[in-house]
Amino acid sequence: MEIKLVKDILQANEVIAAQNKELFAQKGIYVINLMGGAGAGKTTLLERTIERLTGRRRMAVIEGDIATSRDAERIAAHGIPAVQINTGGECHLDGNMVRGGIGQLDLAGIDLLVVENVGNLVCPAEFNIGEDAKAMISSVAEGDDKPLKYPLMFQVSSVLLLNKIDLLPHVAFDVERFRADALKVNPRLEIIPISCTTGEGLDGWLRWLEERSGKRGT
Amino acid sequence: MEIKLVKDILQANEVIAAQNKELFAQKGIYVINLMGGAGAGKTTLLERTIERLTGRRRMAVIEGDIATSRDAERIAAHGIPAVQINTGGECHLDGNMVRGGIGQLDLAGIDLLVVENVGNLVCPAEFNIGEDAKAMISSVAEGDDKPLKYPLMFQVSSVLLLNKIDLLPHVAFDVERFRADALKVNPRLEIIPISCTTGEGLDGWLRWLEERSGKRGT
């Protein structure tokens, strides 16, 4: 009974996610679903990304959080459209919540939309929102054992940002073990080590993003 | 419909959690539900705790993970009973899963049982498992904005271990802001800054634990 209902919820979500996806395709918007545990560095990555893509892509961000509008305020301070969704306790975004967020954006003015999911290494991976690609961010401070312990997000993501590599001298983290385990879970995963503090590796991420998102604005 | 079913699940869980709690009380076992995001340092805290409580409390651990038995192996290597529960994708432990774990332990030989929940700053806080107290662990690498963004776990916990304070020189983290926000969410929360790497602060955590858990063994 419980399992059946979970299936129903996931199927209903798929319908709405497909509608979102069709709308994004019509408008020529490339959409990233950015996921990761709380504190992995999702919002900071977005801030660095916005700074570097100014004039090259017309970006917008939908922020998913359980409470507060802090992340949307951080993003809006960089001068791009930002919509905050408060899930009211829910541990992930779903297609319907994102549909609500889309309604607050001028889609004609956007090339690239990043939806920052709730900080959670588990549940967001189960729900499509109509994205073109799922990106995940993992911090070296979280430890190198995460790919095998939390495999789903690694499986469904196209790209993995391994963040906070500036902390590597101070934490026990085996990059090669992490990389091997992540590729065992998802052999097609592209892994880009970065530091949003020093800027190291961000060029690779920007390249990944620009190759995929079109530029229609100018 | 969906909301009603969620309520039903939570109510059914409360019944089982109450049964677990009664069993623990009968056996004189103090039970901690240890929660926190993935990579906050839950298992490492347990390893340091076991080392220091050897001969003072008879400990056992139930490990909740989505996949792998790595954490239970790490704990068992310290010579105490350890049971691994794999949730099979579920993002939290519930009373019924813990009941299954209890069945694999010799309860007569235990003073203190720690149940390490799935790494997730959100969902575990919603489910009682029959514990005496909820403890949470947060890492300075996760950022100081977590209490207001993920309030529920801070609200339901009795004690908060602020871990990895050895990284404070290398990360942007305002301890006083974090403390003030955590106490705003839960004025009764006891906050203990620790480092499982250097051992700093662990005395305070051990004192908290020993004051609450009885010693029946010798």
Side-chain angles (χ1 to χ4, degrees):
Chain A
M1 166 71 178
E2 182 182 339
I3 289 167
K4 185 184 171 314
L5 192 115
V6 169
K7 271 190 192 156
D8 287 351
I9 291 172
L10 287 173
Q11 276 168 9
N13 183 64
E14 280 306 306
V15 173
I16 299 172
Q19 292 166 350
N20 290 348
K21 190 164 183 143
E22 201 183 323
L23 178 62
F24 294 139
Q26 279 169 11
K27 302 285 181 182
I29 303 173
Y30 190 79
V31 181
I32 295 280
N33 181 356
L34 180 61
M35 307 180 294
K42 294 181 292 301
T43 313
T44 304
L45 173 71
L46 281 181
E47 293 182 283
R48 297 297 89 77
T49 303
I50 295 162
E51 288 160 8
R52 286 165 177 249
L53 284 186
T54 298
R56 290 155 70 182
R57 293 291 180 278
R58 298 175 306 164
M59 267 183 81
V61 169
I62 294 177
E63 285 289 340
D65 276 297
I66 290 172
T68 82
S69 57
R70 287 189 175 198
D71 286 354
E73 289 160 20
R74 282 174 63 185
I75 296 300
H78 292 263
I80 70 159
V83 173
Q84 180 79 50
I85 298 175
N86 278 151
T87 65
E90 277 293 313
C91 52
H92 61 273
L93 290 177
D94 62 24
N96 197 42
M97 295 182 209
V98 171
R99 179 153 70 178
I102 299 168
Q104 300 175 53
L105 288 169
D106 171 18
L107 298 183
I110 302 171
D111 305 314
L112 171 61
L113 172 66
V114 182
V115 181
E116 184 187 330
N117 222 307
V118 177
N120 181 332
L121 205 53
V122 186
C123 318
E126 294 180 42
F127 292 83
N128 293 320
I129 56 173
E131 68 275 61
D132 290 288
K134 291 180 164 74
M136 74 172 287
I137 180 164
S138 202
S139 144
V140 301
E142 294 169 1
D144 53 22
D145 59 352
K146 297 302 166 283
L148 300 186
K149 288 178 65 186
Y150 302 87
L152 184 63
M153 195 173 286
F154 292 84
Q155 270 163 16
V156 299
S157 293
S158 302
V159 62
L160 160 60
L161 289 316
L162 176 60
N163 193 22
K164 306 194 190 181
I165 55 171
D166 54 293
L167 293 179
L168 280 174
H170 312 293
V171 296
F173 188 97
D174 183 337
V175 174
E176 285 318 308
R177 174 192 170 184
F178 178 85
R179 185 189 292 273
D181 284 350
L183 291 175
K184 201 181 291 173
V185 169
N186 177 1
R188 292 186 309 274
L189 186 63
E190 189 150 349
I191 303 171
I192 307 176
I194 62 166
S195 164
C196 292
T197 303
T198 67
E200 196 180 340
L202 287 179
D203 284 348
W205 159 241
L206 272 290
R207 206 176 308 126
W208 189 95
L209 208 50
E210 289 199 277
E211 281 170 10
R212 283 157 183 83
S213 59
K215 186 189 179 185
R216 302 180 310 142
T218 53
Chain B
M1 165 70 179
E2 182 182 341
I3 289 167
K4 183 183 173 315
L5 191 116
V6 169
K7 272 190 191 155
D8 288 350
I9 291 172
L10 286 173
Q11 275 168 10
N13 182 64
E14 280 306 306
V15 172
I16 299 173
Q19 291 166 350
N20 290 348
K21 190 165 183 141
E22 201 183 322
L23 179 62
F24 294 139
Q26 281 169 11
K27 303 286 181 181
I29 302 173
Y30 190 80
V31 181
I32 295 279
N33 182 358
L34 180 61
M35 307 180 295
K42 294 181 292 302
T43 312
T44 305
L45 174 71
L46 281 180
E47 292 182 283
R48 298 296 90 78
T49 304
I50 294 163
E51 288 160 7
R52 287 163 177 249
L53 283 185
T54 298
R56 290 154 71 182
R57 293 291 182 277
R58 297 176 307 164
M59 266 183 81
V61 169
I62 294 178
E63 284 289 341
D65 277 297
I66 289 172
T68 83
S69 57
R70 287 188 175 198
D71 286 355
E73 289 159 21
R74 281 174 64 184
I75 297 300
H78 291 264
I80 72 159
V83 173
Q84 180 79 49
I85 298 175
N86 277 151
T87 65
E90 276 294 312
C91 52
H92 61 273
L93 291 176
D94 62 24
N96 197 42
M97 295 183 209
V98 171
R99 177 153 73 178
I102 299 168
Q104 300 176 52
L105 288 169
D106 172 19
L107 298 184
I110 302 170
D111 304 315
L112 171 63
L113 172 65
V114 182
V115 181
E116 184 187 330
N117 223 306
V118 177
N120 182 331
L121 203 54
V122 186
C123 320
E126 293 181 42
F127 291 83
N128 292 320
I129 57 173
E131 68 275 62
D132 290 288
K134 290 180 165 74
M136 74 172 286
I137 180 165
S138 202
S139 144
V140 300
E142 294 168 0
D144 54 22
D145 58 353
K146 298 301 167 284
L148 300 187
K149 287 179 64 186
Y150 301 88
L152 184 63
M153 195 172 288
F154 292 84
Q155 270 163 18
V156 298
S157 293
S158 301
V159 62
L160 160 59
L161 289 317
L162 177 60
N163 193 21
K164 308 194 190 182
I165 55 170
D166 54 292
L167 293 180
L168 280 174
H170 312 293
V171 296
F173 188 97
D174 182 337
V175 174
E176 286 317 308
R177 174 193 170 183
F178 178 85
R179 185 190 292 275
D181 284 350
L183 291 175
K184 202 181 292 174
V185 169
N186 177 0
R188 292 186 310 273
L189 187 62
E190 188 149 350
I191 303 170
I192 308 176
I194 62 167
S195 163
C196 291
T197 302
T198 66
E200 195 180 340
L202 288 178
D203 285 348
W205 159 241
L206 271 291
R207 206 177 308 125
W208 189 95
L209 209 50
E210 289 201 275
E211 280 170 10
R212 283 158 183 81
S213 59
K215 186 189 178 185
R216 301 180 310 142
T218 51

